[in-house]
């Protein structure tokens, strides 16, 4: 079945680079740690903080005693209470260790040796933007930090489970080069396919031990971790369970220092607790709220906002705007069941988007009625006190000519009508200046 979103993804694959808008649930690190603990996977004790003062207090308490009643924790590996602590920025992106803050140019993962140093680092992290190789443009704002006790690392490993759609089978990915080194050591990545019913077999264990050189006692720990990962993967409808790095400490224990998850969106009704943890960026929140109203919204990188109905028309509109030198700020598909209320909401979203300097409303009146669109345009403009940027309206379909006249004679400033598709696209490109909407 061809859907609006599948066409958008096809366009993104075959045209100029556009930031991916695939909506998948991912968890922030502190949620991931709690999930790992619930499945008895080894993680260091850690605490979420939102202020520099909290970061200072946590490091102070950790340094005093790893069992502080002020910060209760779940069972943990044998971690010394002396030594440094780690502060990690909580954003939905990888590469934080090599990322840089716009405040002091330092990393999104920092090691601190004292409470005062924790306060100083947190002051330069909270409220500032972190940019990494996986975060576009100006970066992501950091409002939460995760603080945990640093542990000694003898070696880092990469361990993940995903789903191989080509083979219709889950696959285990494992490497002796973990952490940030995994990206440059893909050749060391071993792929082992398994069944959810059979789990981790003796053959898989034997292969891993032979290739990665684990001792018999170490392999028992690795096997237990793999079994728990399979359980988590299956019970939580995961599409990705990634432990990176899984480290071997100087004391010979295995501890997960970072984790990343992906979950099947179709399992939302089964995994209500997991999906209740979802955190969205402002851009994702727009898409989410419009989706609840039955509108399909995808944020792009240009400055011309589009309101269209239908996937094919959306693609054609973007192509024509690009052909005439413009660039779209979004795809906003009102579909066939749009109402005045949903269209008003659509205008509100475009109004809040400071990038939008012009709007093209391109409607082919088949299921959706041109008279309703025309009335919604006039009504929305009246509520907003008129349009403060150029708006070009094209309506085609039943009574479209009559309704175009209604819009044209509404007395609204910055609004013009054009029945021809190509002329409408060309017109909005020419009329889009650098003014606020």
């Amino acid at each position: 079945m061809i859907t609006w979103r599948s066409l958008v993804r096809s366009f993104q694959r075959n045209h100029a680079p556009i930031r991916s808008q695939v909506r998948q649930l991912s968890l922030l690190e502190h949620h991931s740690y709690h999930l790992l603990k619930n499945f008895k996977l080894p993680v260091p004790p850690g605490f979420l903080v939102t202020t520099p003062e909290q970061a200072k207090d946590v490091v102070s308490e950790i340094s005093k005693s790893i069992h502080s009643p002020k910060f209760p924790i779940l069972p943990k590996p044998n971690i010394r209470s002396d030594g440094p602590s780690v502060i990690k920025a909580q954003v939905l992106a990888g590469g934080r260790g090599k990322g840089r803050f716009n405040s002091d140019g330092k990393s999104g993962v920092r090691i601190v040796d004292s409470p005062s140093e924790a306060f100083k680092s947190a002051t330069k992290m909270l409220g500032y933007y972190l940019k990494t190789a996986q975060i576009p443009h100006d970066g992501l704002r950091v409002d939460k930090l995760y603080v945990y006790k640093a542990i000694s690392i003898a070696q880092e490993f990469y361990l993940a489970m995903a789903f191989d759609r080509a083979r219709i089978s889950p696959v285990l990915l494992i490497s002796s080069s973990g952490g940030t080194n995994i990206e440059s050591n893909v050749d060391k990545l071993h792929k082992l396919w398994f069944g959810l019913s059979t789990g981790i077999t003796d053959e898989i264990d034997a292969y891993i031990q032979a290739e990665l050189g684990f001792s018999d006692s170490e392999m028992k720990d690795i096997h237990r971790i793999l079994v728990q990962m399979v359980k988590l993967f299956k019970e939580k409808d995961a599409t990705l369970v990634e432990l990176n790095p899984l480290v071997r400490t100087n004391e010979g224990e295995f501890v997960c220092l970072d984790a990343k998850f992906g979950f099947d969106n179709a399992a939302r009704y089964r995994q209500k607790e997991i999906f209740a943890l979802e955190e969205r960026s402002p851009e994702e929140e727009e898409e989410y709220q419009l989706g609840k109203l039955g509108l399909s919204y995808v944020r792009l990188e240009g400055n011309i906002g589009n309101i269209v109905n239908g996937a094919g028309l959306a693609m054609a509109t973007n192509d024509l705007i690009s052909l005439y030198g413009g660039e779209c700020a979004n795809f906003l598909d009102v579909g066939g069941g749009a109402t005045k209320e949903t269209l008003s909401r659509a205008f509100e979203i475009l109004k809040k988007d400071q990038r939008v300097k012009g709007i093209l409303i391109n409607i082919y009146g088949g299921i959706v009625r041109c008279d309703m669109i025309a009335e919604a345009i006039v009504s929305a403009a009246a509520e907003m006190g008129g349009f403060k940027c150029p708006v070009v309206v094209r309506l085609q379909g039943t009574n479209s000519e009559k309704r175009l006249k209604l819009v044209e004679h509404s007395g609204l400033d910055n609004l013009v009508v054009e029945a021809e598709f190509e002329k409408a696209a060309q017109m909005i490109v020419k009329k889009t200046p650098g003014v606020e909407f």
Side-chain angles (χ1 to χ4, degrees):
M1 178 180 178
I2 298 176
T3 64
W4 179 88
R5 185 165 295 281
S6 68
L7 284 173
V8 171
R9 291 173 183 167
S10 176
F11 175 87
Q12 292 174 339
R13 287 193 299 267
N14 297 300
H15 289 66
I18 295 176
R19 182 160 54 93
S20 174
Q21 298 293 334
V22 179
R23 292 288 293 120
Q24 294 179 339
L25 170 66
S26 295
L27 299 181
L28 287 175
E29 184 177 18
H30 68 98
H31 291 314
S32 298
Y33 273 131
H34 284 297
L35 184 57
L36 292 175
K37 289 177 183 178
N38 290 340
F39 279 82
K40 300 180 180 179
L41 287 161
V43 295
F47 313 97
L48 184 70
V49 302
T50 57
T51 68
E53 290 78 11
Q54 290 176 349
K56 178 181 178 180
D57 290 343
V58 165
V59 171
S60 178
E61 292 295 329
I62 289 178
S63 298
K64 292 177 182 177
S65 174
I66 204 70
H67 297 286
S68 168
K70 186 176 181 181
F71 299 101
I73 60 175
L74 295 174
K76 63 198 179 310
N78 182 25
I79 301 172
R80 295 175 58 188
S81 61
D82 58 337
S85 298
V86 179
I87 300 180
K88 287 187 176 182
Q90 296 297 283
V91 292
L92 293 174
R96 292 168 296 169
K98 293 184 178 180
R100 293 292 179 266
F101 271 93
N102 67 340
S103 55
D104 56 8
K106 294 184 179 180
S107 170
V109 178
R110 308 187 185 190
I111 297 178
V112 296
D113 293 312
S114 66
S116 60
E117 191 176 342
F119 180 89
K120 182 178 179 180
S121 287
T123 300
K124 294 298 183 179
M125 298 172 79
L126 291 168
Y128 292 99
Y129 289 80
L130 175 66
K131 184 175 181 180
T132 77
Q134 297 184 25
I135 301 176
H137 306 299
D138 296 329
L140 293 176
R141 179 185 169 95
V142 175
D143 293 311
K144 299 175 182 178
L145 302 174
Y146 192 67
V147 184
Y148 66 84
K149 189 64 193 173
I151 65 174
S152 59
I153 299 176
Q155 186 175 357
E156 295 182 339
F157 300 89
Y158 176 89
L159 201 55
M161 288 181 183
F163 192 79
D164 187 337
R165 297 189 182 278
R167 297 200 182 192
I168 316 178
S169 168
V171 59
L172 167 65
L173 308 171
I174 188 167
S175 174
S176 57
S177 296
T180 57
N181 294 324
I182 186 63
E183 297 178 4
S184 57
N185 288 279
V186 179
D187 57 319
K188 293 184 179 181
L189 189 64
H190 300 275
K191 298 181 180 180
L192 301 167
W193 289 265
F194 65 95
L196 290 178
S197 58
T198 57
I200 304 302
T201 63
D202 292 341
E203 290 77 13
I204 292 176
D205 279 343
Y207 179 90
I208 292 174
Q209 185 171 9
E211 291 295 326
L212 276 70
F214 293 122
S215 66
D216 289 344
S217 61
E218 289 174 339
M219 197 61 220
K220 290 180 181 179
D221 292 335
I222 293 296
H223 176 78
R224 184 183 60 81
I225 290 172
L226 291 174
V227 168
Q228 292 304 111
M229 287 180 68
V230 172
K231 184 178 180 182
L232 192 163
F233 190 84
K234 183 178 180 179
E235 292 185 9
K236 295 302 180 180
D237 292 293
T239 57
L240 172 68
V241 176
E242 180 185 76
L243 310 184
N244 185 37
L246 175 73
V247 305
R248 181 172 56 204
T249 69
N250 288 337
E251 293 74 31
E253 296 181 328
F254 289 96
V255 183
C256 177
L257 294 190
D258 199 355
K260 183 177 180 180
F261 292 91
F263 299 93
D264 185 358
N265 192 60
R268 182 180 291 268
Y269 73 98
R270 285 196 303 267
Q271 305 295 344
K272 293 181 180 179
E273 291 184 3
I274 292 290
F275 280 85
L277 302 174
E278 183 174 16
E279 297 193 31
R280 292 178 288 270
S281 67
E283 295 82 3
E284 292 172 332
E285 185 65 28
E286 293 170 356
E287 181 181 346
Y288 176 75
Q289 294 298 333
L290 287 171
K292 290 169 63 176
L293 296 173
L295 305 180
S296 296
Y297 174 85
V298 173
R299 182 182 174 92
L300 301 177
E301 302 300 329
N303 63 353
I304 296 177
N306 293 314
I307 297 178
V308 300
N309 67 319
L313 190 60
M315 297 302 164
T317 300
N318 186 88
D319 282 345
L320 277 179
I321 287 176
S322 298
L323 178 65
Y324 291 116
E327 191 174 359
C328 294
N330 69 273
F331 283 148
L332 206 168
D333 181 5
V334 299
T339 64
K340 291 182 181 179
E341 290 73 23
T342 56
L343 281 170
S344 295
R345 178 61 177 154
F347 279 117
E348 288 177 8
I349 292 294
L350 295 184
K351 182 180 179 181
K352 292 178 181 178
D353 191 341
Q354 297 182 356
R355 305 168 308 137
V356 173
K357 309 302 180 183
I359 299 175
L360 173 59
I361 303 172
N362 188 11
I363 302 295
Y364 184 83
I367 299 175
V368 65
R369 304 192 325 272
C370 289
D371 57 341
M372 185 273 292
I373 295 293
E375 292 170 5
I377 293 171
V378 175
S379 175
E383 291 179 3
M384 294 188 298
F387 294 117
K388 294 181 175 60
C389 76
V391 178
V392 175
V393 178
R394 174 186 178 260
L395 298 178
Q396 285 292 330
T398 306
N399 294 326
S400 60
E401 185 175 343
K402 180 179 178 181
R403 295 309 171 183
L404 274 174
K405 289 182 179 180
L406 171 66
V407 176
E408 188 174 17
H409 296 115
S410 63
L412 294 171
D413 294 332
N414 291 322
L415 187 147
V416 296
V417 298
E418 175 53 59
E420 294 295 327
F421 188 1
E422 290 192 33
K423 290 182 179 179
Q426 191 173 22
M427 186 177 293
I428 191 59
V429 173
K430 289 182 177 180
K431 287 182 172 290
T432 300
V435 298
E436 293 185 358
F437 175 40

